[in-house]
Amino acid sequence: MIASILRSIGRQARRHPLYVGLNVFGLALGIGVFLTLALVVRFEYSFNTGFVDADRLARMDEHWSEPGTTPYESADVSFRALPFLKQDFSEIEDGVTFTATNLNVEKNGQFTHFSGRMTDPGFFRMFSLRLLQGNSDTALTRPDGLVLSRQAAMTVFGKPDVLGKTVEINRIGQKSTYTVTGVLGDAPSPGLLDNVDMLLPVPPQDRLQRSCFLFWASSCGEILLKFHKHNDIAAVNARLSDFVQHRASGTAEDQISIGADGKRVYALSVVPLKETHFHDSQVEDTANSAEQYVIDGIGLIGLLALILGCANTVNLATARAGLRAKEVALRKTLGASRFMLFTQFMGEAMVFSCIAGLSGLVLCEICVPAIASVTGEAVRINYYFIALLLPLVILGSGLASGLYPSLILSGYNPASILAAARMPACPQEGGKQLCYGTCWLWRNFLSQSASLSAH
Amino acid sequence: MLIHLSRIQRLYRSDEVETTALHDIELEIAQGEFVAIMGPSGCGKSTLLNILGTIDRPTAGSYRFGGEELTKLNEAALARFRRENLGYIFQSFNLIDELTIEENIELALVYRNIPKPERRKRVAQAMDRVGIAHRARHYPSQLSGGQQQRAAIARAIVGEPRLILADEPTGNLDTENGTQVMDILQTLNDEGSTIIMVTHSPSHADLARRRVDMLDGQIVISVRNVI
Ligand SMILES: Nc1ncnc2c1ncn2[C@@H]1O[C@H](COP(=O)(O)OP(=O)(O)OP(=O)(O)O)[C@@H](O)[C@H]1O
Ligand SMILES: [Mg+2]
């Protein structure tokens, strides 16, 4: 069965290379575009989903709506909220501050720039991150501790084995010496540790002096929270306005609070970490966000490309059905049942779809790096995902592109076809045209084969 | 009786006209007969042959083959009936251009679940019988009309069918090739094959054991030839 299908396709390819080429190319293009855009959509939807217990992680946002200004939401918040949050909400399992900072490392008189985050010692435990080297529980407990990404370790020291080595770091004009206490392997990506080279503890004097640790109206970085249950996020969200009233409001003279009518100008909300990538398109102080409707639109375009590819195949196969009518009629007189012929044509469609699917994958492998370099997004081909998706796509487009032509072809009435095969006109039965829309091809085919046999 | 047709009728209906291609056909054919069907163009010969070959259904009437009523069978059962019992020969040969002669002949066996080596053997035998073994790997377009028709005969007999149907098998051939084809058909009949053949040639019809004349969708006379 398979062998005869492959032989039949081989013959078609030899005798009608243009037809087979167009057929496969159209479908391959559709599948290639679909796979590529599916990878893009999957990438955009996968931000922060790789962390353990990702659905229990969240970020605290501030909402400001002062009279006379445009209301806005910000991801950089006052750290004064964090101890009170832990105190007031038993649903919160853990919470850390997370502040971006620019670091310069001096080596042989040259400065190299690194992107750093200052955070609390509980960070690694909260995100269930293991270190390649060092103890994740204590790495950030000493004030001069420093955790490097493997790549940063390679850049600074030229090797990943760097525990205990010291690094001179220049941060906002101040020079200090740090000791490497950990090396972080690949963190779940895409996510909040993308392009983060170094993690360091919040300097003790910051906690005492920096205004965002002291005043509600000041802000400098993010608060990341972990809840006991996913549903706790919504539960806590519902009670945050009372929290603001209770903890952040005060008298007009009170410098620490946000004043008497705090609840009217200031609000807090918790955003699930998995949703931040799309949510951040409306949030200040965030980088790397995407509009969800744009991403959904891209996905839709991919789906349309796939449907178009299938439609093209249906079109070609249906238009060409007339050319195979004689073969069908003959096979039927020789005892092939409609089911046998249907299976044969479906089998051919499936093999075409397989070839197109693999060609589409090649196309995708060319497109994805191009898209990554154009958009700057770290989209990569995930072969695990492809291994799940591609068979479905091949099966789906094989069915979609083969079903209709196979039904038409296997349904031909042999008596009418064979009667018509002797007349240079389209086969008719009871005045009804048999090979819909294919008369021209049919006639052409007949006159061609007539002239062929004449030579 | 191998074949028993009773009150067979075939109407073609379109929006405007109704054509009666066959009207009240009564016909009995015994095992081993060689029947020639004659008549003017349009009298319904091909229609009758198609009904005998079950690729067309009568509008009314009964068709019994070896005691089995065929008009009651569904498409799948008819397909099985065809692959087990029938061999076809057409005026225009109807070989598939994409397949070699060998593969064209083999096609009559592939739907019967016969193992490949057995198929090969039978195909070789059939090609020997009609004398085209040296053209096995050629494509139909590389053969003369006579050779193509002999290939078509090989395809019709390779499955050792109980009935061979031939619609003007010599219609597209010159005298010499026509005679060759008739010789083969006669030999097959001598060996016991039942053959029903439509022809326009009185001399070819005379080679059959029985002759049926048709006019306007009806059988007018059926005579036994004295050979
Ligand atoms: N598909 C069809 N639709 C309508 N009428 C048809 C159809 N096929 C055949 N007929 C009519 O049925 C009648 C018998 O046709 P048939 O082909 O059986 O004739 P025939 O005896 O084989 O003629 P010929 O010797 O030319 O082959 C004719 O009048 C023909 O016009
Ligand atoms: Mg005819």
Side-chain angles (χ1 to χ4, degrees), chain A residues 11 326 330-332 335, chain B residues 82-83 94 98 103 111:
Chain A
R11 284 215 177 83
K326 191 179 110 176
L330 212 60
R331 286 179 186 271
K332 278 196 172 176
Chain B
R82 286 196 291 273
R83 65 177 170 265
N94 283 340
E98 279 86 357
E103 289 165 336
Y111 295 112

Side-chain angles (χ1 to χ4, degrees), chain A residues 416 419 422 428-431, chain B residues 10 12-13 19-22 39-48 91 167-168 198 200 214:
Chain A
S416 329
R422 283 182 287 121
Q428 302 224 325
E429 182 172 39
Chain B
R10 179 64 167 100
Y12 285 110
R13 242 181 244 114
T19 323
T20 308
L22 293 177
S41 187
C43 71
K45 304 182 297 293
S46 294
T47 308
L48 178 60
Q91 178 180 357
D167 195 350
E168 300 184 42
V198 169
H200 280 291
M214 291 183 67

Side-chain angles (χ1 to χ4, degrees), chain B residues 140-157:
Chain B
S141 57
Q142 300 168 312
L143 266 59
S144 74
Q147 287 169 327
Q148 288 191 46
Q149 192 59 303
R150 279 185 277 144
I153 294 176
R155 181 181 60 192
I157 61 173

Side-chain angles (χ1 to χ4, degrees), chain A residues 249-282:
Chain A
S249 300
T251 58
E253 302 82 53
D254 183 355
Q255 289 295 304
I256 291 173
S257 79
I258 40 167
D261 55 353
K263 245 176 91 171
R264 251 196 291 148
V265 296
Y266 182 75
L268 293 172
S269 71
V270 190
V271 184
L273 208 58
K274 277 160 61 167
E275 291 168 19
T276 52
H277 183 59
F278 292 137
H279 185 81
D280 284 357
S281 53
Q282 308 141 40

Side-chain angles (χ1 to χ4, degrees), chain A residues 382-395:
Chain A
N382 181 325
Y383 283 97
Y384 181 69
F385 177 65
I386 292 283
L388 287 176
L389 185 64
L390 191 56
L392 288 180
V393 170
I394 287 176
L395 196 72

Side-chain angles (χ1 to χ4, degrees), chain A residues 117-379:
Chain A
R117 298 286 186 280
M118 294 188 294
T119 185
D120 302 325
F123 178 81
F124 297 113
R125 182 166 24 94
M126 188 170 131
F127 283 86
S128 306
L129 291 170
R130 289 243 222 88
L131 297 180
L132 287 179
Q133 288 171 35
N135 182 339
S136 59
D137 286 334
T138 57
L140 296 179
T141 45
R142 52 192 277 193
D144 68 337
L146 178 70
V147 173
L148 302 180
S149 72
R150 192 194 352 219
Q151 211 193 337
M154 292 302 290
T155 313
V156 178
F157 298 103
K159 56 179 183 179
D161 186 17
V162 295
L163 224 53
K165 292 196 178 293
T166 56
V167 188
E168 285 281 307
I169 289 183
N170 212 318
R171 191 172 78 82
I172 39 173
Q174 286 181 326
K175 225 178 189 177
S176 13
T177 307
Y178 284 85
T179 306
V180 177
T181 50
V183 176
L184 185 61
D186 294 330
S189 178
L192 75 146
L193 286 175
D194 287 351
N195 305 318
V196 173
D197 304 310
M198 301 181 178
L199 289 157
L200 50 162
V202 179
Q205 69 272 20
D206 276 18
R207 289 187 197 279
L208 302 172
Q209 294 164 9
R210 220 174 151 184
S211 59
C212 62
F213 282 92
L214 306 175
F215 305 107
W216 280 98
S218 177
S219 66
C220 49
E222 299 179 357
I223 289 180
L224 303 176
L225 298 168
K226 185 172 193 176
F227 291 80
H228 289 295
K229 298 196 305 287
H230 173 69
N231 290 345
D232 290 343
I233 296 176
V236 168
N237 249 331
R239 281 152 51 205
L240 280 174
S241 122
D242 288 347
F243 173 81
V244 167
Q245 178 69 27
H246 180 205
R247 294 292 189 183
S249 300
T251 58
E253 302 82 53
D254 183 355
Q255 289 295 304
I256 291 173
S257 79
I258 40 167
D261 55 353
K263 245 176 91 171
R264 251 196 291 148
V265 296
Y266 182 75
L268 293 172
S269 71
V270 190
V271 184
L273 208 58
K274 277 160 61 167
E275 291 168 19
T276 52
H277 183 59
F278 292 137
H279 185 81
D280 284 357
S281 53
Q282 308 141 40
V283 177
E284 312 261 316
D285 315 313
T286 54
N288 195 6
S289 64
E291 293 279 6
Q292 188 169 7
Y293 71 87
V294 173
I295 301 305
D296 290 348
I298 288 175
L300 203 63
I301 291 171
L303 206 61
L304 285 178
L306 183 63
I307 292 172
L308 270 178
C310 290
N312 173 61
T313 307
V314 172
N315 244 337
L316 284 173
T318 314
R320 208 173 149 273
L323 303 189
R324 297 190 78 175
K326 191 179 110 176
E327 179 194 337
V328 170
L330 212 60
R331 286 179 186 271
K332 278 196 172 176
T333 54
L334 294 176
S337 66
R338 181 169 192 184
F339 177 75
M340 289 168 172
L341 291 172
F342 179 79
T343 342
Q344 183 199 335
F345 293 128
M346 269 322 281
E348 287 180 17
M350 280 297 167
V351 172
F352 270 125
S353 180
C354 267
I355 299 171
L358 296 178
S359 317
L361 181 57
V362 172
L363 205 69
C364 170
E365 282 177 332
I366 297 168
C367 286
V368 167
I371 284 191
S373 75
V374 169
T375 61
E377 299 267 39
V379 196

